[in-house]
Amino acid sequence: ASTPADAEADKKIRALLGTASRNLGQVDYQKLSVAGREQYQQAKDFGEQAGEALTQRNYVFAETLADKAAKLATELLGTR
């Protein structure tokens, strides 16, 4: 059974994943350096892993990964 805390965690994680996805969508991958491309891929991977953890209801792990994805994606936006 899910609890209100689970619903709140799910909402927060989905918001972080949305931020990561939007920010990655605004990055021009072709203009990134090699390190930038690695960071881009890492952000995508963290996002995918967070989604998997979310479906398994592993909210703590999912939030950690989603937060990392969002931070990396935001950093990439700043390096345009």
Side-chain angles (χ1 to χ4, degrees):
S2 45
T3 66
D6 290 348
E8 199 59 37
D10 187 282
K11 186 176 176 181
K12 181 177 180 181
I13 293 161
R14 290 186 191 281
L16 286 168
L17 290 174
T19 297
S21 180
R22 272 191 309 280
N23 288 350
L24 287 176
Q26 294 177 40
V27 172
D28 186 346
Y29 184 81
Q30 301 304 319
K31 293 184 179 177
L32 291 175
S33 65
V34 171
R37 289 180 183 201
E38 288 173 4
Q39 187 174 343
Y40 181 96
Q41 188 59 50
Q42 193 172 35
K44 281 185 68 171
D45 291 345
F46 282 146
E48 289 173 13
Q49 292 169 3
E52 290 169 16
L54 192 57
T55 61
Q56 297 166 2
R57 299 164 66 121
N58 186 345
Y59 297 113
V60 174
F61 191 50
E63 184 175 346
T64 300
L65 291 167
D67 187 56
K68 287 181 180 183
K71 285 180 179 169
L72 285 173
T74 301
E75 284 177 22
L76 281 170
L77 266 187
T79 60
R80 286 193 284 185

